[in-house]
């Protein structure tokens, strides 16, 4: 044997990363299930089940291909590597660049050598080149460059459909009594059962744990959901938990699928003529735009970025985040119940419900970030840190997004059917039945009016505070709401 190849549990693709040039005669493959990863935090069991079972299936597929595979359980990744080094002394250890600062440092210190991380479509140095010249890091300008560079949905130099962005068409509320096509279910096998037993968990059938299952999920999306993806992208309804979202993030993030495979399939489906441009463009923007931008920003902003708390938000995490019975807010109750069930909700509940609530209640960004990291099936450091600290709770003072994503009940009422079954009224900002989002939205603007008045995208909203004749009562109600939320009684 000539090399030890270490495969982190988010590099599970045979054709990318360190496995790209691997050879079963010369390379020993190592995967490590570290205790830090499994028991180190209050991880959602569905998430652990997905990550561990995917890794074990992947290890099995490499063995079937003829590789010597060492699948190690150890306290830490480095402890796992030490075990393998004893068995194969003096072999160099190779890995594709890991996806977090922390793992990068630990492996570097141990003497692992790296090959370029190609699990994204944008090499890290290329993103740095773009970011270093930007005054404000507008995703849209990065995205347009990506479309041209990667030649996706382009007609020569012009964007397909005559426009770069069809966002305006992609903001429909949910249709009444909405029933979409049934969601794909994934059968469980022996490996799944063993992992489930070890974890003491009864997994859903929502998430595949094999490459084959991930490919089936991708096919299901393009066959049954892609054409309607765009217009209903931002809608939320208690009648359908995912609408037409692809449910592909866990697989793209752990390597069972590569972003290039998803984009190739999207362009192919669009070329059949049955998918409207607003859906095709909307989806492509998520993959070659948002996903790449967020990863690039993680590396650009550096390891200390996660500690930002520019709004001085220090409220401890509210009890409703871990226990949906601790709130009567229907939108939050539904969202947290959905997370408890399958470790996933789409981007609007993540942004406009969960993060919005953390933002307007002044919840400590790091406590909220830790909770989000623990409960989502697709969470990793590189993706959660910019999405939460920069986009979700504006804790970076506007470095990433020019304006906080704060909203009152009117937005949630327009984009969902949650308010109909709620104890509160989205139109009211004072009184016992006032929607907590509406009250706290104005209270939030008032608390930060001095700094927001200097932001040209916020100054009009801050100016709107002058029109609130009931601001003194609203401030009193906001304190009641905050106390009630802390006590789990709102
Ligand atoms: C506060 C917050 C936290 C988030 N945390 C995560 C996370 O931990 N992991 C994660 O993968 N996504 C995260 N996202 C992005 C997005 O919510 C999820 O990627 C998406 O909901 C996954 O479901 P899907 O595959 O059906 O996505 P679709 O709606 O079908 O979108 C297609 C793909 O686009 C990519 N994508 C879209 N938006 C983003 C984004 N902002 N960042 C990265 N990728 C994106 C994902 O790979 C996704 O699979 C977060 C967004 C917000 C606002
Ligand atoms: S009224 Fe307010 S709390 Fe209730 S569901 Fe609507 S937005 Fe959520």
């Amino acid at each position: 044997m000539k090399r030890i190849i270490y495969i982190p549990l988010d590099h599970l693709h045979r054709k990318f990363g360190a496995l790209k040039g691997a050879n079963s005669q010369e390379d020993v493959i190592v995967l490590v299930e570290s205790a830090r990863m499994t028991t180190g935090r209050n991880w959602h069991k569905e998430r652990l089940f997905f990550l561990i079972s995917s890794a074990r299936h992947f290890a099995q597929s490499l063995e079937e291909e003829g590789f010597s595979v060492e699948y190690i359980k150890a306290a830490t990744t480095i402890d796992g590597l030490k075990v393998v080094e004893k068995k194969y002394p003096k072999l160099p250890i190779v890995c594709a660049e890991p996806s977090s600062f922390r793992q990068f440092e630990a492996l570097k210190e141990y003497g692992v050598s790296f090959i370029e991380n190609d699990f994204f479509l944008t090499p890290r140095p290329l993103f740095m080149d773009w970011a270093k010249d930007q005054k404000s890091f507008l995703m849209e300008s990065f995205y347009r460059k990506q479309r041209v560079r990667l030649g996706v949905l382009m007609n020569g130099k012009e964007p397909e459909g005559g426009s770069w962005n069809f966002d305006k068409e992609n903001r429909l509320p949910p249709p009444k009594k909405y029933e979409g096509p049934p969601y794909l279910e994934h059968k469980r096998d022996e490996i799944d059962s063993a992992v489930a037993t070890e974890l003491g968990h009864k997994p859903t059938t929502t998430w595949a744990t094999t490459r084959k299952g991930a490919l089936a999920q991708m096919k299901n999306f393009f066959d049954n959901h892609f054409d309607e993806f765009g217009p209903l992208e931002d809608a939320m309804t208690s009648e359908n938990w995912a609408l037409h979202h692809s449910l592909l993030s866990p697989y793209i993030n752990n390597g069972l699928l590569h972003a290039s495979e998803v984009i190739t399939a999207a362009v192919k489906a669009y070329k059949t003529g049955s998918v409207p441009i607003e859906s095709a463009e909307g989806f492509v923007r998520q993959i070659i735009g948002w996903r790449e931008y967020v990863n690039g920003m993680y590396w650009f902003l550096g390891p200390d970025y996660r500690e930002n708390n520019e709004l001085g938000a220090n409220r401890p995490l509210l009890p409703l985040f871990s226990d949906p019975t601790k709130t009567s807010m229907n939108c939050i109750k539904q969202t947290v119940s959905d997370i408890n069930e399958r470790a996933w909700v789409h981007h609007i509940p993540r942004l406009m419900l969960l993060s919005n609530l953390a933002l307007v209640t002044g919840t400590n960004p790091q406590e909220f970030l830790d909770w989000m990291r623990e409960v989502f099936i697709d969470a990793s450091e590189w993706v959660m840190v910019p999405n939460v600290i920069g986009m979700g709770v504006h804790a970076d003072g506007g470095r990433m997004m020019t304006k906080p994503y704060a909203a009152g009940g009117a937005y949630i009422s327009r984009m969902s059917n949650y308010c109909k079954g709620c104890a509160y009224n989205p139109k009211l900002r004072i009184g016992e039945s006032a929607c907590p989002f509406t009250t706290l939205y104005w209270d939030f603007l008032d608390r930060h009016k001095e700094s927001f008045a200097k932001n040209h995208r916020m100054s009009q909203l801050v100016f709107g505070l002058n029109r609130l004749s009931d601001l003194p009562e609203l401030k009193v109600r906001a304190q009641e709401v905050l106390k009630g939320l802390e006590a789990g009684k709102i």
Side-chain angles (χ1 to χ4, degrees):
M1 289 295 172
K2 291 191 177 154
R3 296 189 300 177
I4 295 171
I5 296 185
Y6 167 59
I7 305 295
L9 300 201
D10 57 359
H11 288 187
L12 307 183
H13 201 300
R14 177 65 181 91
K15 294 189 179 143
F16 292 89
L19 280 174
K20 196 168 38 189
N23 170 341
S24 59
Q25 303 308 305
E26 297 179 349
D27 298 317
V28 183
I29 313 296
V30 184
L31 291 93
V32 182
E33 229 177 71
S34 73
R36 201 185 146 261
M37 178 220 155
T38 51
T39 56
R41 286 165 66 165
N42 192 20
W43 300 114
H44 196 310
K45 287 203 174 163
E46 185 78 355
R47 171 191 157 83
L48 286 180
F49 166 78
F50 165 71
L51 292 174
I52 295 173
S53 190
S54 297
R56 292 194 194 171
H57 278 101
F58 189 70
Q60 186 188 48
S61 72
L62 292 176
E63 268 169 355
E64 283 165 4
E65 205 190 316
F67 279 101
S68 304
V69 179
E70 298 288 332
Y71 191 98
I72 310 280
K73 287 185 186 178
T76 65
T77 299
I78 302 300
D79 289 337
L81 291 178
K82 283 180 185 161
V83 173
V84 181
E85 273 203 306
K86 270 199 190 133
K87 198 164 162 188
Y88 299 94
K90 297 198 179 129
L91 291 190
I93 309 181
V94 180
C95 173
E97 293 163 334
S99 61
S100 75
F101 288 107
R102 193 187 168 124
Q103 203 185 19
F104 212 150
E105 276 312 305
L107 292 175
K108 207 191 292 175
E109 206 171 292
Y110 190 62
V112 172
S113 51
F114 300 107
I115 59 167
E116 192 185 53
N117 180 315
D118 57 0
F119 286 91
F120 291 83
L121 304 169
T122 319
R124 289 176 195 170
L126 193 66
F127 188 90
M128 297 290 170
D129 268 359
W130 173 81
K132 74 176 172 23
D133 295 333
Q134 306 300 307
K135 279 204 187 102
S136 57
F137 305 99
L138 279 185
M139 200 296 285
E140 186 65 25
S141 58
F142 169 73
Y143 165 61
R144 290 181 189 187
K145 275 193 172 285
Q146 290 281 84
R147 287 272 294 275
V148 175
R149 180 174 73 86
L150 299 168
V152 177
L153 296 185
M154 295 299 296
N155 257 333
K157 287 184 177 162
E158 297 305 314
E160 181 79 24
S163 174
W164 293 101
N165 186 319
F166 293 82
D167 239 5
K168 283 200 194 101
E169 275 110 292
N170 286 352
R171 288 185 191 137
L172 290 187
K176 287 206 174 91
K177 295 225 176 331
Y178 185 74
E179 269 185 53
Y183 274 94
L184 188 63
E185 304 212 25
H186 298 277
K187 282 201 186 124
R188 299 301 170 204
D189 64 8
E190 276 174 21
I191 294 181
D192 291 325
S193 304
V195 176
T197 307
E198 277 174 43
L199 293 170
H201 176 56
K202 193 169 180 299
T204 66
T205 50
T206 303
W207 307 109
T209 50
T210 59
R211 163 100 175 143
K212 195 172 162 207
L215 286 169
Q217 187 70 44
M218 181 164 87
K219 183 174 182 323
N220 180 63
F221 171 68
F222 288 117
D223 288 353
N224 301 321
H225 295 280
F226 190 26
D227 53 345
E228 291 192 73
F229 171 84
L232 293 178
E233 206 183 334
D234 287 1
M236 300 174 278
T237 168
S238 51
E239 285 156 1
N240 190 301
W241 59 270
L243 290 139
H244 295 289
H245 288 274
S246 67
L247 305 181
L248 294 180
S249 55
Y251 316 114
I252 313 178
N253 291 357
N254 82 345
L256 287 181
L257 294 177
H258 192 273
S260 62
E261 297 173 309
V262 180
I263 286 298
T264 303
V267 170
K268 191 172 162 204
Y270 173 69
K271 284 191 176 153
T272 63
S274 62
V275 178
I277 183 67
E278 57 269 26
S279 282
E281 187 281 316
F283 184 73
V284 159
R285 176 150 30 96
Q286 306 306 311
I287 306 273
I288 71 168
W290 278 110
R291 185 171 189 275
E292 298 288 317
Y293 169 81
V294 160
N295 181 57
M297 289 304 282
Y298 173 78
W299 292 100
F300 178 73
L301 293 165
D304 298 335
Y305 177 80
R306 81 183 311 288
E307 304 308 330
N308 269 299
N309 187 1
E310 289 283 319
L311 293 175
N314 288 318
R315 188 175 304 285
L317 194 73
L318 297 169
L320 50 71
F321 284 112
S322 35
D323 180 356
T325 66
K326 297 276 192 246
T327 184
S328 309
M329 298 169 74
N330 198 31
C331 53
I332 296 291
K333 193 187 267 297
Q334 178 84 50
T335 300
V336 174
S337 304
D338 280 358
I339 293 173
N340 285 353
E341 194 176 333
R342 56 183 83 80
W344 184 93
V345 290
H346 73 69
H347 70 133
I348 295 299
R350 293 187 205 202
L351 185 64
M352 302 310 290
L353 296 178
L354 302 169
S355 303
N356 186 16
L357 187 66
L359 175 70
V360 296
T361 53
T363 296
N364 178 267
Q366 286 67 40
E367 284 198 30
F368 178 63
L369 171 65
D370 284 349
W371 175 75
M372 294 280 280
R373 276 281 278 117
E374 284 162 15
V375 298
F376 278 101
I377 191 96
D378 53 14
S380 303
E381 198 69 0
W382 68 265
V383 58
M384 266 303 172
V385 169
N387 271 311
V388 170
I389 298 294
M391 183 149 48
V393 296
H394 205 69
D396 64 351
R399 229 176 140 202
M400 205 172 120
M401 299 287 135
T402 45
K403 159 180 185 294
Y405 280 94
Y411 172 86
I412 299 160
S413 171
R414 190 167 66 248
M415 294 310 296
S416 79
N417 68 353
Y418 294 145
C419 300
K420 288 196 185 98
C422 187
Y424 301 107
N425 180 343
K427 291 194 179 126
L428 299 182
R429 54 180 178 257
I430 53 170
E432 288 213 338
S433 45
C435 165
F437 271 116
T438 309
T439 309
L440 293 174
Y441 167 73
W442 289 109
D443 183 59
F444 169 73
L445 282 188
D446 188 57
R447 272 185 279 135
H448 297 287
K449 60 180 177 245
E450 270 146 41
S451 61
F452 290 164
K454 294 178 208 145
N455 174 340
H456 75 283
R457 293 194 68 202
M458 294 298 286
S459 50
Q460 276 300 100
L461 298 173
V462 172
F463 192 66
L465 280 168
N466 296 330
R467 288 197 297 270
L468 297 190
S469 55
D470 53 7
L471 191 59
E473 292 98 306
L474 184 139
K475 304 282 302 164
V476 174
R477 176 63 189 158
Q479 286 311 308
E480 285 168 13
V481 171
L482 290 168
K483 278 210 184 88
L485 287 169
E486 278 174 2
K489 290 192 173 143
I490 282 273

